[in-house]
Each structure stands twice: as structure tokens, then as C-alpha cells.
């Protein structure tokens, strides 16, 4: 097998009109020395995600209808609060499966209600409000480390507390929490209207998407260039998404659901084909077009829920990898149409999620004893405390916007803190242009309803394009709703911009520059953990051969779980890499230096999987000494990666000897390539 490498380049009311009451360094050379830096251009480049028409329609209805009702009953202030609650629901509606959307919208609304209630109770209490909001900042930051739903919940807890402490809310104290929650639950109601018609469609579509991604990968197998690696990454993402939907939902279903077991079985029979793909690619010869076409035919059967056995026109297999693919495809063709698979003979290849009570105890324990959780909570608490202390000492109009900006920007799990601060300032400035036109030209009253229809629909559309675009879409909506509460009109524009800039400055200084970890990328540490996992994967793939059928099954399940965990971790490393590229130097430059080694580790895992497939189909097993030597080499590489900031600082190590007759020869060659990348000056 050739050891040549193709270079991968990482992706760069007044009753009158009016209310006067892939980042690459070549960019700089191309546009001149005064061009914006590459990390900023990357954040400003809109994503190519499709327009979410259904989400745009829901947002328009959920935020405009309360205003129409409020004007009809002459209570626009109450209507504005309902629409604010709907806004948080719109932002949080990011899941696919309906049961998961209930959690994504309803749980954060509960935390948001608690937050606005606490904020309302400390409104006008000066330093007491500072202390309470600072404490809530700590709690919000810590719970944000648990997961996606917890992160949004922590965000709403702090945001609504800041709003409640900064704006006079209607009496009694429970009115604002009730109205805000009503808005969020209205979004949830609109979301669930499609459940009776599309109950399991999101899960089926996700499973079918995994099949189609695999078909694209098989189509690229054996061809030169980076196409195979890119498509294999898409398979990993599609499998992660599908397993998360199916297993996440199954964990909340009492007993076994035949439809869920069927989808899980359809996912499981995909794994042997996924495993055989690297072996096919290492042959450096394209597969017959009939093979990816057969996988696409299975994808259609999965998506349509068909129970007739699909007829696959497969060519005669030639070689171990094609025999593996042929056997896996024919087995999949017998499992996909089964309406009721054996519910007691379907393994959860990622491990079935534990009971909700067990997982709750686990995440609380992990949060309380996690250094990263405390560190982020303290950063957020410090910035919120400084923001609230500043506005308590210095008179600033609409001062609560300072803390709101800090809360939105200081979300490392949402992306780079530095770039989010810059992009929020730019997005706010862009949104204020639209807000200024609306507040100066549109009369307060019923004209707000059609304006809100348009502005609210733009939020989901712009949110998928990037953070700056989302901020630009949300800003005019927030100002329109704020005007309904305080009737300041165009006078809201200037303090909004000033407060946003102050909040961004506090975040950059107290939440970024003062923390040394901000100047280091976590890619090296995460990559080292993945290399250690790769060493364990090699040992599990070629370890002791069990003598019993039960032992063989247990060993195979452990190997599959280890492989899926590695690919999931590598997907996380890639996400961290994309985040780090938006950081200014030196963090972004250090992240870019790790990229070739990330790709090399992925190829090591691919080669290991391919070797295992060859052993399953007749190749001789490697000797234990060779397996242990490769595992030790991988652990040595992981140890070196943990000790340095860039791969170039790794100490040179002797190249491993390669036995061309061994099934692990490709693994040795990929490991040698990884060492060459890590030690570019070593001969």
C-alpha cells in the first residue's frame, strides 16, 4: 500500500406614524494587508444550510399572534412578554424527534420561569440584585456543562433573571413567569401539531440518511483524493445523529416498542457495511456502482417503511473486502423489511442509555466534581457580577442589556468566545439598521403584527447561517418588543448598541484575556484521548479469541462500541477544530497545525477496522506481540501529543518496522505516516 498522503485543507402607540417617542492564509494576500483576518471571515461566511420553512412559519405565528391578541384586548405589554417567551422557544427548537423537542423546549421554559421570578423579586434592590445574579451566573455556567438541554436551560435561567431584575414587570410577581412560559409553550404546541402525522418520520429519515451517507462513501471508496475521508466523516455524523434519536427516545419508552426496535435493527445491520468500507478503500480500486445503488435502495425501503424484501442486483464479490460487503448487504436486505424484529435479539451498539434517574444522579455528580464545570461557572459569574456592578455604579440606559450581552457571548459550548464577541457586535450593528427603520417609520399598534410576522420568520432562517446572522435577526425583534414595554421608540437604538459594546468588552477582558486557557486549544488533549482509545481498539480487535459463542458475541459488541466511540470522539475533535479556527492567533494557528495529525489518526482507525474485516473473511490473525507493539506505539504517540502545543514540538521517535505480509501492515504504515506528520524534521 502506498504511504502517499493527500493534503487536507480545513474548512475558513402613539396613534401617529412613527415612533419618535474553510479558512486559508491566502485570503490576506488576495485582498491586501488591510483585509479582515481569516478567522473573522470564517465567522462571517454564511452556512449553506437549507432554509427551515416550517420553523420560519412557526416562529411567525408564535410571535405575531400574541401581539394581535394583545392589541385586540388592549394589553400590548402582556402580549410583548408572551412573544418574548415564544422567542426563547423558537431559539431552543433545534431537535428533530418530537419527544426530544418536548425536552428541548419545555425544560428550558421551566428554568426561564424560575429565572424571571427571581429577577422580579430583586428588582430595584441594588447590590442584592448584583449578588443574586452573580450566583445565578455560577449556577447557569455549571449546569451548562451537562448537555444541550441543560445548556439552553442555564442560558434561559440567567437571561430571564437579568430581564426580570432590569425591567419593571407587571404585578403580582408570578405574572411575568406565567406569560413568558405561555409563549414558550405556545411554540411547543405549534411544534407538536405535526406529531400525529409525522410521529416517527424524523427517526426513519435519520436512519435512511445514514444509509445514503454510506452509499456515498462506498461510491468514493478506492478513489484518490480527500473525497472518501470527507464522506466517511458524513457517515459518522449521520450514524451519531440516528443513534442519538433512536436510543434517546427508547430510553424514555417503558418496555420495547416494535417500531423503535425495528429502526435499531436497521441501524445495526448497517455497521458491518460501515466496517467493510475502509477495507474496500484500501484496495485502491473502485467498487461496482451496483453496490452503492443497493445501499440507496435499502435507504428508500427504510424511509418508506416498506416490508417487501428488496431485490439487490449485486456483482460477484472479488476479494475479502467485497465478500464482506456482499455478505453484509444481503443480511441487511433480510432485516430491513422485517416489520417486527426479535425484540430480545437486538443489541444497542452504543449501549442502551441508563434509566433517567441514574443518568440524573450521574450528571449532577459529574457537574459538582468537574473542574471545567466550576471554571466556566466562575468565569460567567465574574463577568455577570462585573456587568451588574458597573451598571449599579454608573448610570447606563437600559443597563440590563450589558448583562444580556455577556450571557449570550460567554457560551464556550456554543463556539469561540472571542469570535462570538466580535460577531455579536457586528450582528447587533446590522440588526440595529433594521430596528432603526422599524422604530422610526412603523406606527405603534396593529402595524406591529405584520412587521413581527416578517421579523420573526427571519430568525430561524438566519440562525442556520451563523451567529452574526442570528444576532442581526434577533436584535430588531427584541427592540420592537422592548418598545411595547417602555414606549421609547427610536431612542432605544443608541443605548442598545452602547450596552452591547460594553458587554462584549467585559466578556473579552474578564471572560477571555484573563483566563490562560483561552489562549490554548483543547484539540491536542482531546486528540491524545482518542489515540489512547485507538490503542484499546487495536487490542480489542485482535485480542484473545473467545472459545464460546457468548464470548464471541460479547467481544464483538465491545469492539463495535469501541469503534463507534472512537469515531464519535474524532467527530468531536473536528468540531473543536472548527471552533478553534475562529480564534485569533496563536490559538487558531496552533489548531491548524494539528489538522494533518487528526486526519492521520482517523486513517489509523480505518486501517484497523479494515484489518479486522480481512481477518473475519480469511486473512491470518496477527501475532499478539505485533498487536501489543502497535498499541504501545499508539500510547507513546498519545503521551507525546499531550505534552506539546503543536505537533512540530513532538520528540522524534524511531520509525516502526513494517512486516508487509501481516494483516496489520496498513496500520503500521498509517502509524508511520502519523509519526512523520508529528515529526516533520525527522528522517
Amino acid at each position: 500500500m502506498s504511504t502517499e498522503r493527500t493534503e487536507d485543507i480545513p474548512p475558513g402607540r402613539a396613534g401617529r406614524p412613527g415612533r419618535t417617542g474553510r479558512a486559508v492564509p491566502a485570503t490576506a494576500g488576495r485582498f491586501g494587508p488591510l483585509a479582515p483576518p481569516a478567522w473573522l471571515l470564517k465567522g462571517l461566511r454564511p452556512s449553506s444550510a437549507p432554509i427551515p420553512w416550517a420553523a420560519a412559519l412557526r416562529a411567525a405565528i408564535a410571535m405575531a399572534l400574541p401581539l394581535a391578541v394583545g392589541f385586540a384586548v388592549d394589553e400590548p405589554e402582556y402580549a410583548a412578554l408572551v412573544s418574548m417567551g415564544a422567542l426563547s422557544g423558537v431559539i431552543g427548537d433545534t431537535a428533530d424527534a418530537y419527544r426530544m423537542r418536548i425536552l428541548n423546549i419545555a425544560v428550558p421554559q421551566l428554568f426561564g420561569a424560575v429565572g424571571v421570578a427571581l429577577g422580579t423579586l430583586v428588582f430595584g434592590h441594588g447590590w442584592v440584585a448584583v449578588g443574586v445574579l452573580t450566583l445565578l451566573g455560577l449556577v447557569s455556567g455549571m449546569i451548562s456543562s451537562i448537555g444541550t438541554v441543560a445548556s439552553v436551560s442555564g442560558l434561559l435561567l440567567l437571561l430571564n433573571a437579568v430581564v426580570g431584575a432590569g425591567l419593571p414587570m407587571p404585578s403580582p410577581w408570578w405574572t411575568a413567569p406565567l406569560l413568558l412560559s405561555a409563549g414558550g409553550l405556545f411554540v411547543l404546541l405549534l411544534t407538536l401539531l405535526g406529531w400525529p402525522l409525522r410521529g416517527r418520520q424524523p427517526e426513519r429519515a435519520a436512519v435512511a440518511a445514514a444509509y445514503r451517507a454510506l452509499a456515498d462513501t462506498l461510491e468514493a471508496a478506492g478513489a484518490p483524493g480527500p473525497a472518501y475521508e470527507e464522506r466517511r466523516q458524513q457517515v459518522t455524523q449521520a450514524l451519531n445523529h440516528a443513534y442519538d434519536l433512536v436510543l434517546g427516545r427508547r430510553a424514555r419508552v417503558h418496555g420495547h416498542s416494535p417500531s423503535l426496535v425495528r429502526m435499531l435493527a436497521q441501524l445495526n445491520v448497517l455497521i458491518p457495511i460501515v466496517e467493510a468500507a475502509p477495507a474496500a478503500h484500501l484496495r485502491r480500486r473502485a467498487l461496482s456502482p451496483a453496490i452503492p445503488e443497493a445501499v440507496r435502495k435499502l435507504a428508500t425501503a427504510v424511509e418508506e417503511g416498506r416490508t417487501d424484501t428488496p431485490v439487490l442486483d449485486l456483482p460477484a464479490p472479488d476479494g475479502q473486502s467485497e465478500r464482506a460487503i456482499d455478505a453484509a448487504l444481503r443480511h441487511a436486505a433480510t432485516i430491513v423489511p422485517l416489520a417486527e424484529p426479535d425484540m430480545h435479539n437486538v443489541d444497542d451498539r452504543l449501549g442502551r442509555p441508563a434509566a433517567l434517574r441514574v443518568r440524573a444522579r450521574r450528571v449532577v455528580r459529574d457537574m459538582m466534581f468537574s473542574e471545567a464545570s466550576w471554571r466556566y461557572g466562575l468565569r460567567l459569574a465574574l463577568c455577570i457580577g462585573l456587568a451588574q456592578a458597573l451598571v449599579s455604579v454608573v448610570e447606563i440606559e437600559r443597563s440590563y442589556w450589558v448583562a444580556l450581552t455577556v450571557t449570550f457571548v460567554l457560551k464556550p459550548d456554543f463556539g469561540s468566545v472571542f469570535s462570538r464577541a466580535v460577531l455579536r457586535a457586528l450582528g447587533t450593528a446590522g440588526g440595529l439598521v433594521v430596528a432603526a427603520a422599524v422604530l422610526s417609520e412603523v406606527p405603534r399598534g396593529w402595524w406591529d403584527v405584520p412587521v413581527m410576522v416578517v421579523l420573526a420568520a427571519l430568525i430561524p432562517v438566519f440562525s442556520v447561517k451563523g451567529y452574526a446572522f442570528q444576532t442581526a435577526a434577533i436584535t430588531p425583534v427584541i427592540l420592537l418588543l422592548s418598545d411595547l414595554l417602555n414606549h421609547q421608540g427610536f431612542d432605544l437604538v443608541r443605548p442598545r448598541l452602547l450596552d452591547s459594546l460594553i458587554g462584549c468588552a467585559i466578556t473579552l477582558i474578564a471572560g477571555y484575556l484573563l483566563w490562560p486557557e483561552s489562549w490554548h486549544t483543547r484539540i491536542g488533549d482531546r486528540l491524545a484521548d482518542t489515540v489512547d482509545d485507538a490503542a484499546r481498539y487495536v487490542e480489542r480487535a485482535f485480542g484473545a479469541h473467545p472459545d464460546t459463542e457468548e464470548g464471541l458475541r460479547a467481544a464483538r459488541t465491545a469492539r463495535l462500541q469501541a469503534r463507534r466511540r472512537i469515531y464519535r470522539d474524532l467527530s468531536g475533535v473536528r468540531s473543536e477544530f472548527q471552533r478553534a479556527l475562529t480564534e485569533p492567533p496563536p490559538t487558531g494557528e496552533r489548531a491548524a497545525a494539528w489538522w494533518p495529525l487528526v486526519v492521520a489518526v482517523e486513517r489509523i482507525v480505518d486501517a484497523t477496522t479494515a484489518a479486522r474485516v480481512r481477518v473475519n473473511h480469511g486473512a491470518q490473525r496477527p501475532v499478539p506481540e505485533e498487536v501489543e507493539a502497535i498499541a504501545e506505539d499508539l500510547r507513546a504517540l498519545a503521551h507525546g501529543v499531550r505534552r506539546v502545543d503543536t505537533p512540530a514540538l513532538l520528540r522524534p521517535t524511531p520509525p516502526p518496522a513494517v512486516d508487509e505480509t501481516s494483516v496489520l501492515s496498513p496500520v503500521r504504515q498509517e502509524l508511520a505516516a502519523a509519526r512523520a506528520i508529528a515529526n516533520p524534521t525527522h528522517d
Side-chain angles (χ1 to χ4, degrees):
M1 190 189 88
S2 171
T3 57
E4 264 185 58
R5 295 293 172 266
T6 300
E7 182 179 1
D8 291 76
I9 298 178
R13 198 170 282 232
R16 299 274 195 275
R19 296 173 183 254
T20 54
R22 298 183 187 191
V24 288
T27 304
R30 189 169 159 195
F31 295 104
L34 297 181
W39 59 267
L40 180 57
L41 290 177
K42 181 176 178 64
L44 291 174
R45 188 178 299 119
S47 168
S48 58
I51 297 176
W53 295 107
L57 179 60
R58 283 195 301 271
I61 296 174
M63 299 185 64
L65 187 57
L67 293 185
V69 174
F71 287 124
V73 299
D74 199 28
E75 292 290 352
E77 292 83 3
Y78 284 8
L81 288 174
V82 176
S83 292
M84 282 185 176
L87 174 61
S88 63
V90 167
I91 297 174
D93 185 17
T94 57
D96 292 326
Y98 285 97
R99 290 179 183 271
M100 295 180 68
R101 295 169 88 170
I102 294 176
L103 291 178
N104 279 25
I105 299 176
V107 174
Q109 292 302 318
L110 175 62
F111 280 83
V114 173
V116 74
L118 293 175
T120 301
L121 292 175
V122 299
F123 172 75
H125 286 72
W127 291 101
V128 174
V130 174
V132 170
L133 292 179
T134 301
L135 180 60
L136 286 178
L138 175 63
V139 174
S140 171
M142 293 186 67
I143 66 176
S144 293
S145 64
I146 295 175
T148 303
V149 175
S151 180
V152 178
S153 299
L155 178 67
L156 279 188
L157 171 69
L158 186 55
L159 283 178
N160 286 3
V162 171
V163 172
L167 274 177
M169 293 291 173
S171 297
W173 65 269
W174 46 262
T175 304
L178 182 64
L179 294 173
L180 288 169
S181 299
L185 295 179
F186 184 40
V187 174
L188 179 59
L189 175 63
L190 293 175
T191 299
L192 299 181
L193 288 178
W195 198 348
L197 301 176
R198 301 180 67 253
R200 296 182 179 90
Q201 184 59 34
E203 291 91 340
R204 281 203 302 267
V207 176
Y211 274 76
R212 293 193 175 99
L214 178 57
D216 293 341
T217 302
L218 293 173
E219 205 167 45
Y228 172 80
E229 280 82 4
E230 293 172 356
R231 294 183 182 183
R232 201 260 311 139
Q233 295 153 22
Q234 293 169 4
V235 171
T236 298
Q237 294 169 359
L239 280 173
N240 289 345
H241 182 56
Y243 269 116
D244 285 344
L245 288 187
V246 175
L247 291 179
R249 178 175 174 181
R250 185 176 178 184
R252 292 185 294 275
V253 175
H254 296 289
H256 288 285
S257 165
S259 62
L260 297 178
V261 172
R262 181 186 184 189
M263 284 185 283
L264 184 59
Q266 291 168 342
L267 271 176
N268 286 347
V269 295
L270 194 62
I271 299 303
I273 314 176
V274 173
E275 286 192 314
H281 179 61
L282 290 177
R283 298 187 324 158
R284 304 302 182 199
R285 190 169 75 243
L287 294 168
S288 167
I291 293 177
E293 184 58 33
V295 179
R296 292 189 179 98
K297 185 179 291 188
L298 293 175
T300 301
V302 169
E303 192 166 36
E304 296 176 356
R306 294 166 54 180
T307 56
D308 57 308
T309 302
V311 178
L312 305 182
D313 184 16
L314 297 174
D318 177 21
Q320 295 165 342
S321 61
E322 285 197 6
R323 286 200 298 271
I325 294 176
D326 183 83
L329 277 173
R330 295 185 187 279
H331 178 59
T334 65
I335 298 298
V336 165
L338 291 181
E340 295 184 4
D342 183 359
M343 293 189 295
H344 302 287
N345 195 33
V346 177
D347 295 328
D348 292 345
R349 295 292 169 86
L350 293 182
R352 185 176 180 182
L356 183 60
R357 183 183 304 174
V358 174
R359 285 184 289 161
R361 287 199 303 264
R362 185 182 301 159
V363 297
V364 171
R365 182 186 66 245
D366 292 345
M367 178 190 70
M368 294 303 298
F369 292 97
S370 168
E371 180 183 349
S373 173
W374 278 97
R375 190 164 56 243
Y376 172 51
L378 290 172
R379 287 174 67 183
L380 185 55
L382 172 63
C383 292
I384 289 295
L386 289 175
Q388 288 299 119
L390 175 65
V391 300
S392 297
V393 175
V394 180
E395 185 175 350
I396 300 178
E397 290 185 80
R398 322 310 305 166
S399 58
Y400 64 94
W401 277 335
V402 177
L404 285 179
T405 300
V406 169
T407 305
F408 271 118
V409 173
L410 195 56
K411 292 291 291 181
D413 55 325
F414 286 173
S416 162
V417 172
F418 188 96
S419 63
R420 281 172 64 86
V422 177
L423 293 175
R424 182 165 183 84
L426 295 176
T428 298
L432 287 177
V433 174
V434 178
V438 171
L439 296 177
S440 62
E441 300 299 331
V442 178
R444 185 182 295 118
W446 282 99
W447 278 106
D448 286 331
V449 177
V451 170
M452 181 59 73
V453 169
V454 175
L455 295 179
L458 291 176
I459 293 176
V461 174
F462 278 33
S463 293
V464 299
K465 298 300 180 183
Y467 181 64
F469 299 93
Q470 182 189 51
T471 302
I474 292 176
T475 296
V477 172
I478 291 291
L479 289 181
L480 180 60
L481 296 177
S482 297
D483 182 49
L484 292 175
L485 291 172
N486 51 49
H487 299 177
Q488 283 191 295
F490 186 81
D491 291 340
L492 286 169
V493 173
R494 183 188 58 81
R496 172 63 171 177
L497 179 59
L498 177 61
D499 292 350
S500 294
L501 294 177
I502 294 174
C504 289
I506 291 175
T507 303
L508 286 175
I509 296 173
Y512 182 82
L513 297 177
L514 297 184
W515 296 80
E517 66 188 51
S518 301
W519 297 90
H520 299 281
T521 175
R522 296 177 293 173
I523 293 177
D525 289 339
R526 296 192 61 173
L527 182 58
D529 292 340
T530 305
V531 176
D532 275 334
D533 287 341
R536 286 189 288 270
Y537 176 50
V538 170
E539 292 173 332
R540 287 182 175 177
F542 303 102
H545 189 70
D547 297 327
T548 64
E549 182 178 347
E550 183 178 350
L552 284 171
R553 183 174 178 177
R556 184 172 183 270
T557 299
R559 176 173 56 82
L560 290 174
Q561 291 178 355
R563 188 191 64 81
R564 290 285 299 122
R565 188 179 303 112
I566 292 173
Y567 279 117
R568 183 181 285 265
D569 290 345
L570 283 169
S571 180
V573 171
R574 284 181 171 269
S575 298
E576 180 68 20
F577 173 83
Q578 296 294 337
R579 183 202 68 80
L581 280 183
T582 62
E583 296 276 11
T587 304
E589 295 174 347
R590 289 172 177 169
W594 285 112
W595 179 254
L597 192 55
V598 173
V599 176
V601 173
E602 290 177 335
R603 288 173 171 163
I604 291 172
V605 177
D606 273 353
T608 304
T609 301
R612 180 66 247 187
V613 169
R614 291 180 59 196
V615 169
N616 290 344
H617 289 81
Q620 184 177 358
R621 293 178 62 88
V623 297
E625 292 78 11
E626 185 179 14
V627 174
E628 185 60 30
I630 290 177
E632 287 302 319
D633 286 343
L634 286 169
R635 291 192 176 96
L637 178 61
H639 179 71
V641 169
R642 278 195 187 88
R643 295 170 60 90
V644 300
D645 289 330
T646 62
L649 298 178
L650 286 169
R651 292 183 178 180
T653 52
V658 177
D659 179 6
E660 296 291 346
T661 64
S662 170
V663 72
L664 291 180
S665 172
V667 181
R668 283 285 196 184
Q669 293 176 1
E670 296 294 352
L671 183 54
R675 291 174 178 273
I677 292 170
N679 303 288
T681 60
H682 178 62
D683 291 325

